[in-house]
Amino acid sequence: MSDRPILSEEFATKYSGSEDNSSHLEPIDGLAEKKLLWKCDIHVLPMISLLFMLAFIDRVNIGNARIQGLEKDLKMKGQDYNIALFVFFIPYILFEVPSNILLKKIAPSTWLSSIMVCWGVITVCQGVTQSYAGLIVCRFLLGFFEAGFVPGCVYLISMYYKRYELQWRINLFFCASILSGAFGGVSTIPKLRPETMLMPAKLLAYALANMTGVGGYDGWRWIFIIEGLVTVIVAAVAKFFVVDWPETSKFLNDDDRHLLLRRLRDDVAEARMDRMDKKATRRVFSDWKIYVGTIMYFGVVNTGYSTSFFTPTILKELGWTSIRAQVLSIPIYIVACVFALITAFAADRLRHRYAFTMIGILVATTGYVILLAQKGVPVGARYLAVYLITVGGYITQPVTLVWLNNNMGGHYKRSVSSALQVGLGNCGGIVASNIYITTQAPTYHVGYGVSLALLWLCGLACTVFFVGLRIENKKRDKGGRDDRYSLPKKEQENLGDDHPRFRYGY
């Protein structure tokens, strides 16, 4: 795929040009800019958000299958369930960077839909496996095929929006994973009263609840089979609706394309990295910001996975039936979605990130403290604690993704940084899958304690990131990086955010 489209001379004169002569370009029409943003919103976000919802359901529906009889039928015991969660993350972590590098060279519509078809097939296989070993193999392959999806989508979205337009869009995308927790819970609940569910969820719940015994399969198997088949069908259709890079997207005309590329260029000054040569590779992999950003994500993603994997089990341990536990997990995710969107709006409007990460950490901390002291706490307060943990986690988690992305300059650097952050950061998922020890139910002191500690590791990393960016901006304001202007022009044009004109956001 070419990085530069063939565009008409008229439009090139009107909207393009180097940074050096950008002051002579025609001012951007505010109305045209608003129309362009709306056009991007309706083409970029809806389909990949739907795909993300299905991806997350396929990833965590094992939590719902667990309380419907998965462990009993596959003769699982001890830590077998935790191991099944753990193996998912090995390929998921290892293959995210290679996947994003491939994504730069392949049309996103082709790559994302293809890997989704593959993991949909694997999800179906989880429903028909007859042994624990078969489940382990399926979980490994699921991690392999899902590896490139989230960092790829974050990377793709970031190529359409300016830095302080991005949090709102990423959180809209992220809400798909939050709501998947609600839909995943609904899908396993039989005979709910009509007033408790939206129509699509009612139909899904009714179908799955009444398929026990069909084909000789128990209900938990149909959770995997039906949701996997839906994923395959949607993925096949998605090939025609997922957008490609701005330079080649069919929904943009030449005028839109030039306007989009110009406003993105104006947003990041000369922070370009369009070649992955040796010097660029060294700059990317030696950048402290990527590793601090990864620690931020690692610390908070553990909370996200913990709530997804174990909320139904935790609620059941409060003395409720499986059905009631599933029902009462639904509003938790809806409330978390609302707070995530409020956070996104405020963070973009205020052009600030750090304070919002810390607010989420404080909210989740309150929840963990309640659960750690749960022996003297009534059931209602423990239920509230699950709300606080989920809401706090989903306030902070998407902000850490966007914050790092905002401070990466250039096509390749965003690609690699997104993959490294999500890939290495998802080691938090490995932790989450191993700290909720079955023999410690229902108190889970190790699980809650480790999750709280990791949350504050995230807080420490966020503080280091914040202070480091402020120091670097002050240094650049004083001319402390102006020596880079003496570099060869070819290298100057590929510095990414190391370019002295770039200023970091926090």
Side-chain angles (χ1 to χ4, degrees), residues 58-73:
D58 291 341
R59 189 185 313 173
V60 303
N61 55 14
I62 190 172
N64 294 314
R66 182 190 192 187
I67 66 173
Q68 298 295 324
L70 167 73
E71 290 177 302
K72 179 182 177 182
D73 286 359

Side-chain angles (χ1 to χ4, degrees), residues 14-275:
K14 184 175 181 180
Y15 283 124
S16 64
S18 69
E19 288 298 326
D20 295 333
N21 65 15
S22 61
S23 59
H24 303 298
L25 295 176
E26 198 174 293
I28 291 178
D29 184 333
L31 181 59
E33 192 171 23
K34 287 181 179 179
K35 289 181 178 179
L36 175 62
L37 275 175
W38 174 245
K39 195 172 187 179
C40 290
D41 286 343
I42 62 176
H43 285 87
V44 176
L45 295 172
M47 180 51 71
I48 60 174
S49 295
L50 174 61
L51 300 186
F52 191 26
M53 176 181 287
L54 294 174
F56 210 79
I57 288 174
D58 291 341
R59 189 185 313 173
V60 303
N61 55 14
I62 190 172
N64 294 314
R66 182 190 192 187
I67 66 173
Q68 298 295 324
L70 167 73
E71 290 177 302
K72 179 182 177 182
D73 286 359
L74 296 186
K75 297 179 175 58
M76 296 165 62
K77 56 188 177 181
Q79 296 299 109
D80 285 352
Y81 175 74
N82 298 68
I83 293 171
L85 300 182
F86 168 81
V87 297
F88 169 90
F89 293 100
I90 298 172
Y92 190 83
I93 291 165
L94 293 177
F95 292 104
E96 292 206 348
V97 172
S99 178
N100 254 24
I101 292 174
L102 281 173
L103 181 62
K104 177 68 175 68
K105 302 177 183 298
I106 301 174
S109 58
T110 300
W111 180 250
L112 296 177
S113 59
S114 297
I115 61 175
M116 188 172 182
V117 167
C118 293
W119 89 59
V121 171
I122 298 302
T123 300
V124 173
C125 291
Q126 287 184 102
V128 299
T129 185
Q130 298 298 317
S131 67
Y132 175 62
L135 178 66
I136 293 296
V137 171
C138 288
R139 293 293 296 178
F140 184 90
L141 292 174
L142 191 66
F144 175 80
F145 289 117
E146 280 201 35
F149 185 75
V150 174
C153 288
V154 171
Y155 175 28
L156 179 61
I157 295 170
S158 72
M159 299 311 295
Y160 279 88
Y161 297 99
K162 294 166 70 172
R163 287 191 286 172
Y164 292 106
E165 297 166 349
L166 189 58
Q167 189 71 63
W168 174 252
R169 275 78 185 185
I170 290 293
N171 278 41
L172 284 172
F173 169 71
F174 224 82
C175 279
S177 75
I178 302 174
L179 291 176
S180 70
F183 282 110
V186 167
S187 68
T188 64
I189 305 168
K191 301 179 182 178
L192 286 181
R193 295 188 304 273
E195 62 269 22
T196 63
M197 302 163 60
L198 298 175
M199 182 58 69
K202 279 195 291 185
L203 295 174
L204 181 59
Y206 178 82
L208 297 185
N210 286 276
M211 291 184 72
T212 298
V214 174
Y217 292 147
D218 288 331
W220 69 265
R221 293 185 180 276
W222 286 111
I223 294 173
F224 290 124
I225 294 169
I226 296 300
E227 291 176 357
L229 289 174
V230 170
T231 297
V232 171
I233 293 169
V234 173
V237 175
K239 170 66 178 82
F240 305 99
F241 292 95
V242 173
V243 299
D244 291 320
W245 303 116
E247 295 88 345
T248 57
S249 279
K250 296 177 182 178
F251 77 91
L252 296 172
N253 58 40
D254 284 349
D255 208 357
D256 293 333
R257 201 181 321 277
H258 278 290
L259 178 56
L260 176 65
L261 296 176
R262 175 183 166 184
R263 64 194 301 275
L264 293 178
R265 185 180 58 248
D266 291 347
D267 184 47
V268 297
E270 294 182 61
R272 296 172 54 192
M273 187 175 283
D274 300 326
R275 301 186 313 276

Side-chain angles (χ1 to χ4, degrees), residues 88 282 502:
F88 169 90
R282 192 181 312 119
F502 186 85

Side-chain angles (χ1 to χ4, degrees), residues 272-308:
R272 296 172 54 192
M273 187 175 283
D274 300 326
R275 301 186 313 276
M276 198 63 170
D277 53 27
K278 289 184 179 180
K279 290 183 177 179
T281 301
R282 192 181 312 119
R283 288 187 182 279
V284 170
F285 288 97
S286 64
D287 189 343
W288 67 271
K289 298 188 298 298
I290 293 177
Y291 301 103
V292 174
T294 297
I295 295 172
M296 292 192 300
Y297 191 71
F298 167 77
V300 71
V301 80
N302 172 78
T303 288
Y305 278 117
S306 294
T307 56
S308 299

